[in-house]
Amino acid sequence: MRHVRSRALPASLAAVLLSIATLVAATDAGAAAGRYAALGDSYSAGVGAGSYLSDSGSCKRSTNAYPYLWKNAHAPSAFSFVACSGARTGDVLNNQLSVLDSATTLVSITIGGNDAGFADTMQTCVLNSESACLSAVAAAKSYATTTLPGKLDQVYTAIHSKAPNAHVVVLGYPHLYKIGGSCIFGIGDTKRAAINGAADTLDEVIAKRAANAGFTFQDVRGLFTGHEICASGTVWLNSTTLPVDESYHPKAAGQSGGYLPAFTAGA
């Protein structure tokens, strides 16, 4: 067997490889040293996912929520988790932005669903007639297209002002229902389709305003496909449940399987 002698790398190639290794190491170190702030509503707080932090009170921030999971995986130098159950755009402006500053490098947020009347619309659709449901959905969609854009602009402008050096990831909302799926208890396909249509309208508005602000929008609808309420596979969303405020929110599997990958891809 012929012996093949190893050869030393040319000095120029060795220098290039060393430069690449140094750049990669610096990039990894920079990512680890980042300052991350998680803002928004119950979908970012992790309501419905269990394992709530004792100091979060009625905000119900969960250790199973995507911001907390991302923090565990990436070990940022600072982590501010202020997303809160029931938050609207005004709550973000008044109660959450104080954690941001020029040193903040990464921000995540879900917001807009409560402004558009998500909880009230769901209650109407579950408890009342089809016509009442369709009227409630139409009102929510009208709000989303006429009033919500201005409110989102205020939030996004304020985030950029407080954290001018941050990369901001805005996440949307999933479809709640599998159309044609089977549930022992639940609402019919007409109501399900209307509710999913409201999510589409909301996501379209949020995506446009985020893009206009120069932020990254991450759509979670595709990731949740096949995992909606009434789907035949593993369901990632709570249906009507107790406590009531956890209804129609992602379970722990929805946070880890849907929101975390979407946020990671955008971050």
Side-chain angles (χ1 to χ4, degrees):
M1 181 174 175
R2 198 169 98 183
H3 178 67
V4 178
R5 289 187 303 166
S6 60
R7 296 182 180 179
L9 290 172
S12 59
L13 178 57
V16 170
L17 293 177
L18 179 61
S19 297
I20 293 173
T22 302
L23 178 61
V24 169
T27 300
D28 289 343
R35 300 175 65 87
Y36 169 39
L39 316 179
D41 57 22
S42 53
Y43 272 62
S44 287
V47 174
S51 186
Y52 302 115
L53 296 164
S54 59
D55 63 355
S56 67
S58 61
C59 285
K60 300 184 79 166
R61 288 185 279 269
S62 170
T63 60
N64 293 320
Y66 76 85
Y68 207 90
L69 297 176
W70 193 92
K71 181 268 296 186
N72 288 344
H74 294 83
S77 61
F79 175 55
S80 300
F81 190 13
V82 294
C84 188
S85 176
R88 301 186 179 195
T89 51
D91 296 305
V92 174
L93 290 169
N94 296 325
N95 305 321
Q96 298 185 13
L97 298 186
S98 61
V99 300
L100 304 180
D101 58 32
S102 59
T104 304
T105 56
L106 180 63
V107 176
S108 65
I109 186 170
T110 55
I111 201 68
N114 291 316
D115 291 77
F118 167 78
D120 290 341
T121 299
M122 289 305 305
Q123 181 175 328
T124 298
C125 287
V126 171
L127 299 178
N128 293 287
S129 66
E130 187 175 284
S131 61
C133 173
L134 297 180
S135 294
V137 167
K141 292 171 73 172
S142 176
Y143 183 96
T145 55
T146 58
T147 305
L148 185 60
K151 292 183 174 293
L152 292 175
D153 287 348
Q154 290 178 1
V155 170
Y156 298 160
T157 297
I159 290 173
H160 180 69
S161 177
K162 294 279 287 184
N165 301 309
H167 175 62
V168 182
V169 181
V170 179
L171 296 102
Y173 299 94
H175 286 160
L176 293 182
Y177 288 101
K178 172 69 174 178
I179 305 302
S182 177
C183 287
I184 298 175
F185 302 104
I187 61 177
D189 274 351
T190 299
K191 289 182 177 181
R192 294 180 197 174
I195 292 168
N196 286 354
D200 289 334
T201 298
L202 188 58
D203 283 340
E204 289 165 7
V205 169
I206 293 171
K208 186 175 188 303
R209 304 326 297 177
N212 286 352
F215 297 165
T216 297
F217 176 76
Q218 288 297 107
D219 193 337
V220 300
R221 286 172 291 182
L223 290 166
F224 274 82
T225 298
H227 301 286
E228 310 95 329
I229 299 168
C230 301
S232 58
T234 304
V235 175
W236 287 355
L237 292 149
N238 291 300
S239 185
T240 305
T241 189
L242 293 175
V244 174
D245 66 329
E246 297 189 6
S247 300
Y248 313 111
H249 285 80
K251 301 177 181 181
Q255 289 286 340
S256 63
Y259 273 93
L260 179 61
F263 175 56
T264 301

